[in-house]
Amino acid sequence: MRSLLFAPATKPELVAKLADRGADAVVFDLEDAVPLGAKVTARPQARAGAETLLAQPEGPAVWIRVNAVPTEWFEADVAEAIPRGVAGVVVPKVESGEQVQVVRAALAAAHLAELAIMAGIETAAGVVRADALLAPPVTHAYFGAEDYISDLGGVRTAHNQEVLYARSRVALAARVGGVHALDQVVTDFGDDRRFLADAAEGAMLGYRGKLCIHPAQVTLAHQAFTPSAEDVARARALLAAYEDAAAAGQGAIAFDGQMVDEPLARQARDIVFRAGGD
Amino acid sequence: MRSLLFAPATKPELVAKLADRGADAVVFDLEDAVPLGAKVTARPQARAGAETLLAQPEGPAVWIRVNAVPTEWFEADVAEAIPRGVAGVVVPKVESGEQVQVVRAALAAAHLAELAIMAGIETAAGVVRADALLAPPVTHAYFGAEDYISDLGGVRTAHNQEVLYARSRVALAARVGGVHALDQVVTDFGDDRRFLADAAEGAMLGYRGKLCIHPAQVTLAHQAFTPSAEDVARARALLAAYEDAAAAGQGAIAFDGQMVDEPLARQARDIVFRAGGD
Amino acid sequence: MRSLLFAPATKPELVAKLADRGADAVVFDLEDAVPLGAKVTARPQARAGAETLLAQPEGPAVWIRVNAVPTEWFEADVAEAIPRGVAGVVVPKVESGEQVQVVRAALAAAHLAELAIMAGIETAAGVVRADALLAPPVTHAYFGAEDYISDLGGVRTAHNQEVLYARSRVALAARVGGVHALDQVVTDFGDDRRFLADAAEGAMLGYRGKLCIHPAQVTLAHQAFTPSAEDVARARALLAAYEDAAAAGQGAIAFDGQMVDEPLARQARDIVFRAGGD
């Protein structure tokens, strides 16, 4: 999953278009994109939107983002807004193992125990406990920079230095826990260069894809999280030279000005693999 | 508290001036600013200086920085140098929960149990244990970059990359523990631009104010930790548009090229709040 | 130890040259520099190479890097490849306290219990557990950026932002645990400027030296991890001014535009000490 495209549950007119954008996954949002006065009416809208998408052949995976566990809406969100067939539930602002257990119990009560769980790590407490939270039954996670900085009381900037610590820590915890991690939103939806730069940072830090809040960001996310043709060609050439050397009993070679041994060979294999090669 | 202005306890001639500088708080220092040979005589000087300031109407909050808990001076510092009426005690180089308990006991023995405790996190061990240390009874904290890098055996630079990890971690731990965190000193006291840049970084990372080692830094600290008029105007406009949309049943809007939903609205509310608005 | 020069165990023709390069320590590598097909034959080569170097008067300290504990090669590597007289064993990809105990037991079984243990922290799990791992019986450590990013699934860059979190965390954990930490490899062995910049970052973050994968990097590492003549002269001048002031009862002075008290004096003493001064 390189892209997870958000859509407010309250905008049914968007549903038909969502499937066309090529996102790896789509999420109907009951949380931040829905105002307080519409929380209840948004549930059947999310459900109907999800069912419409699920009925389409070769549509994207569909997720539902419920409101956070401590809110008054969480329980009914899970019980009423999630149709069979969705891939998973997105739970924002996860802060404790107890909350994860509440999610699991609510899914079981709704006969949705098979759903994947994506935890939003986007508060100070969530980041501090990321090592414990990012492990089964949680299977996916995202880092939410806007909410994190708001909760921390910091200032968001375009250079992202204020989130480097938390963004690095969450990606690392996800890797150790076997959790698929998605990188932060870029709210400037018209700025392609910023999105690509931000996504390149995310990829560099170990994220596998990006939250998208505008359809135009989907293509950019796929571009950023798929190795370029040049990268793949270089990786293949490096591996060929490395394997020739190994066959001759050598384990470290000079290639293109670099000392190449197992770690760089592993990086090259990973590039070829992510490009869909063998 | 946006500014905490340090004054060596051994310079009584500075006392009269201290109240005029507009600092939110002033601290008489018995630790790093006092040489070994003057540790004992500095105590009555700190006490007298504090009493003079406390007697002034509308003076700043007054704190005393004692020597670190494991030193031979700590106990008598607390017993002899702190008059009634001070806001709190600053304890440098805090490294363990046991030390915090020693501080609490020493304050109780001196009939000063009501004082706030500010912990200096400025050693490798202090940073590693920040999650545990930055919680009640500790109410305030500062990150001490110079001492931290000295203890770590690193090199201090103007770009602060060598402290980004520790400075981020301490601010985060303080937020989770409900502790008011102050940012590192800028030792180049004549370089206003550097101070402002450094303070902007601190604010970005979640700090609430700055240690000041020169009166001229106080105004700069207040400027850095108070949102600008432009920021406040933009935040108000964003909130007005967001609330209009919510009244119409919409939870996410495009504003000034950004996708705005709850997280950005929260950041805007925080800016208005910190500017003293409603 | 400012430099640890790697040599593949399989290249006996390099051995004679190794002692001339002036490295503080040399390591014969059985791991990443040796291909799968040569793992067994590399053991006597490592042993013979080490013995040759150890027989030289005033040669460098000699280490052996074995394969990681979970591999099929680890046990025989320790039993067969390490002659008496080597300084220590380098264990790559250390991830748990159990692995450290296995290392200790294997050394004891081989009558090598007195050897120093250098742990490679170069996987996601290793970084997350660095606080626990970097303590006795581990005496030395290195941070392996290439392997770490490969394991994390990130992207290596020349600006190192993707490893700033992990590289900072490992140096800090090493300091707290009393472990001598060496900084990451620079694989571009012909780029002196990059090596020096990278080494300056490592020194800034608290590392004591550098892994070297090419003899030309040794001199650069020593240059980077030894204070410059200018730094030493400035440190001595600062200390002289500071000590004069202390003798006059003053603890904080203005020096060269900076407010100098104990933390800056400590940094200056450290510079003089590392330069070999008194």
Side-chain angles (χ1 to χ4, degrees):
Chain A
M1 189 196 303
R2 298 159 302 172
S3 58
L4 177 61
L5 178 58
F6 274 69
T10 49
K11 299 207 173 169
E13 71 276 16
L14 291 180
V15 175
K17 293 183 192 165
L18 278 174
D20 304 334
R21 300 317 176 114
D24 290 338
V26 166
V27 58
F28 289 95
D29 187 19
L30 296 168
E31 198 221 10
D32 283 337
V34 173
L36 298 191
K39 290 290 187 191
V40 173
T41 52
R43 286 178 196 137
Q45 292 177 301
R47 188 181 189 101
E51 285 172 338
T52 302
L53 274 192
L54 289 169
Q56 299 197 0
E58 307 195 22
V62 179
W63 295 66
I64 307 286
R65 182 161 79 169
V66 296
N67 287 283
V69 175
T71 66
E72 61 184 288
W73 305 294
F74 169 76
E75 210 170 332
D77 284 352
V78 174
E80 300 169 18
I82 309 178
R84 307 301 301 259
V86 303
V89 60
V90 181
V91 186
K93 300 182 183 63
V94 174
E95 295 198 326
S96 70
E98 290 73 37
Q99 290 184 3
V100 174
Q101 292 313 317
V102 170
V103 173
R104 197 178 207 178
L107 288 174
H111 304 290
L112 296 165
E114 76 284 4
L115 260 61
I117 300 173
M118 181 182 294
I121 303 296
E122 47 189 342
T123 63
V127 170
V128 160
R129 295 188 198 121
D131 283 343
L133 296 175
L134 299 184
V138 170
T139 55
H140 296 67
Y142 68 84
F143 173 63
E146 303 302 331
D147 266 315
Y148 173 68
I149 286 298
S150 173
D151 185 48
L152 183 67
V155 179
R156 277 293 281 143
T157 72
H159 58 59
N160 287 322
Q161 287 286 293
E162 75 280 6
V163 291
L164 183 60
Y165 173 91
R167 199 180 177 196
S168 300
R169 184 168 167 177
V170 168
L172 171 57
R175 166 64 185 87
V176 172
V179 164
H180 186 98
L182 299 179
D183 190 35
Q184 66 197 14
V185 159
V186 174
T187 60
D188 293 317
F189 57 81
D191 190 339
D192 289 4
R193 281 180 56 158
R194 178 160 177 202
F195 186 93
L196 285 171
D198 200 278
E201 281 178 17
M204 163 189 109
L205 293 171
Y207 288 93
R208 300 292 190 256
K210 202 95 178 132
L211 302 191
C212 299
I213 46 84
H214 192 279
Q217 295 182 333
V218 169
T219 311
L220 302 174
H222 293 189
Q223 183 180 330
F225 286 93
T226 310
S228 71
E230 288 85 355
D231 289 346
V232 175
R234 189 182 181 284
R236 285 191 194 279
L238 183 152
L239 286 171
Y242 182 70
E243 279 153 22
D244 285 354
Q250 258 194 303
I253 58 166
F255 176 84
D256 201 11
Q258 279 192 307
M259 189 62 74
V260 172
D261 60 6
E262 259 305 291
L264 289 190
R266 253 192 301 274
Q267 289 175 22
R269 280 185 215 111
D270 186 52
I271 288 169
V272 173
F273 175 78
R274 282 190 292 129
D278 53 292
Chain B
M1 188 197 305
R2 298 159 300 172
S3 58
L4 176 61
L5 178 59
F6 275 69
T10 48
K11 298 208 173 168
E13 70 277 17
L14 291 180
V15 176
K17 293 183 191 164
L18 277 174
D20 305 333
R21 300 316 175 114
D24 291 337
V26 165
V27 58
F28 290 95
D29 186 19
L30 296 167
E31 196 220 12
D32 282 338
V34 173
L36 299 191
K39 291 290 187 190
V40 172
T41 52
R43 286 179 196 135
Q45 293 177 302
R47 187 180 190 101
E51 284 172 337
T52 303
L53 274 192
L54 288 168
Q56 299 198 0
E58 308 195 21
V62 178
W63 295 66
I64 306 286
R65 182 162 80 169
V66 296
N67 287 283
V69 174
T71 66
E72 62 185 288
W73 305 293
F74 169 77
E75 210 168 334
D77 284 351
V78 173
E80 300 170 18
I82 309 178
R84 309 300 300 257
V86 303
V89 61
V90 181
V91 186
K93 301 183 184 60
V94 174
E95 296 198 326
S96 71
E98 290 72 39
Q99 289 184 3
V100 174
Q101 293 313 318
V102 170
V103 173
R104 198 178 206 177
L107 288 175
H111 304 290
L112 295 166
E114 75 285 3
L115 260 61
I117 301 173
M118 181 181 294
I121 304 295
E122 48 190 340
T123 62
V127 170
V128 159
R129 296 189 197 120
D131 284 342
L133 296 174
L134 298 185
V138 169
T139 54
H140 297 67
Y142 68 83
F143 173 65
E146 303 304 331
D147 267 314
Y148 173 69
I149 287 297
S150 173
D151 185 46
L152 183 66
V155 180
R156 276 293 282 145
T157 72
H159 57 60
N160 287 322
Q161 287 286 293
E162 75 281 7
V163 291
L164 183 59
Y165 173 91
R167 199 180 177 196
S168 299
R169 184 168 169 176
V170 168
L172 171 57
R175 167 64 185 87
V176 172
V179 164
H180 186 98
L182 299 179
D183 190 36
Q184 66 196 15
V185 159
V186 174
T187 59
D188 293 318
F189 57 80
D191 190 339
D192 289 4
R193 280 181 56 159
R194 178 161 177 200
F195 186 92
L196 285 172
D198 200 279
E201 281 179 16
M204 166 189 106
L205 293 172
Y207 287 92
R208 301 290 190 260
K210 202 97 179 129
L211 302 190
C212 299
I213 45 85
H214 192 279
Q217 294 182 332
V218 169
T219 312
L220 302 174
H222 293 188
Q223 181 180 330
F225 287 93
T226 311
S228 71
E230 289 85 355
D231 288 346
V232 175
R234 189 182 180 283
R236 287 191 193 279
L238 182 153
L239 285 171
Y242 180 70
E243 280 154 20
D244 285 353
Q250 260 194 301
I253 59 165
F255 176 84
D256 202 10
Q258 280 192 306
M259 189 64 74
V260 172
D261 59 6
E262 261 305 293
L264 289 190
R266 254 192 300 273
Q267 289 176 19
R269 279 185 215 111
D270 186 52
I271 288 169
V272 173
F273 175 79
R274 281 189 292 129
D278 53 291
Chain C
M1 189 198 301
R2 299 159 300 170
S3 57
L4 176 62
L5 178 58
F6 275 69
T10 49
K11 299 206 173 170
E13 70 275 18
L14 292 179
V15 176
K17 293 182 190 164
L18 278 173
D20 304 333
R21 300 317 175 112
D24 290 339
V26 166
V27 59
F28 289 95
D29 187 18
L30 296 168
E31 197 220 12
D32 282 337
V34 173
L36 299 190
K39 290 291 187 189
V40 172
T41 51
R43 285 177 197 138
Q45 292 178 303
R47 188 181 189 100
E51 285 172 338
T52 303
L53 275 192
L54 289 168
Q56 300 197 358
E58 307 196 22
V62 178
W63 295 65
I64 307 286
R65 181 161 81 169
V66 296
N67 287 283
V69 175
T71 66
E72 61 184 285
W73 305 294
F74 169 76
E75 210 168 333
D77 284 352
V78 174
E80 300 171 17
I82 309 178
R84 307 301 299 259
V86 302
V89 61
V90 180
V91 185
K93 301 183 182 60
V94 174
E95 296 198 325
S96 71
E98 290 73 37
Q99 290 184 3
V100 174
Q101 292 314 316
V102 170
V103 173
R104 198 178 206 176
L107 288 174
H111 304 290
L112 296 165
E114 75 285 4
L115 260 60
I117 300 174
M118 181 181 295
I121 304 294
E122 47 189 342
T123 62
V127 170
V128 159
R129 297 191 196 117
D131 283 344
L133 296 175
L134 299 184
V138 169
T139 54
H140 296 67
Y142 68 84
F143 173 64
E146 304 303 330
D147 267 316
Y148 173 68
I149 286 299
S150 173
D151 185 48
L152 183 67
V155 180
R156 278 292 284 145
T157 72
H159 57 59
N160 286 322
Q161 287 285 292
E162 75 280 5
V163 291
L164 183 59
Y165 173 91
R167 198 179 177 196
S168 299
R169 185 168 167 176
V170 168
L172 171 57
R175 167 64 185 86
V176 172
V179 165
H180 185 97
L182 299 179
D183 191 34
Q184 66 197 15
V185 159
V186 174
T187 59
D188 293 317
F189 57 80
D191 189 340
D192 289 4
R193 280 181 57 160
R194 178 160 177 203
F195 186 93
L196 285 171
D198 201 279
E201 282 178 16
M204 163 189 109
L205 293 172
Y207 288 92
R208 300 291 189 259
K210 202 100 179 125
L211 302 191
C212 299
I213 45 87
H214 193 279
Q217 294 182 333
V218 169
T219 312
L220 302 174
H222 293 189
Q223 183 179 332
F225 287 92
T226 310
S228 71
E230 288 85 354
D231 288 347
V232 175
R234 189 182 180 284
R236 287 190 192 279
L238 183 152
L239 286 170
Y242 181 71
E243 280 154 20
D244 284 355
Q250 259 194 303
I253 59 165
F255 176 84
D256 201 9
Q258 280 192 306
M259 188 64 72
V260 172
D261 59 7
E262 260 305 293
L264 289 191
R266 252 192 301 273
Q267 289 174 21
R269 279 184 216 112
D270 186 52
I271 288 169
V272 173
F273 175 79
R274 282 189 291 130
D278 55 292

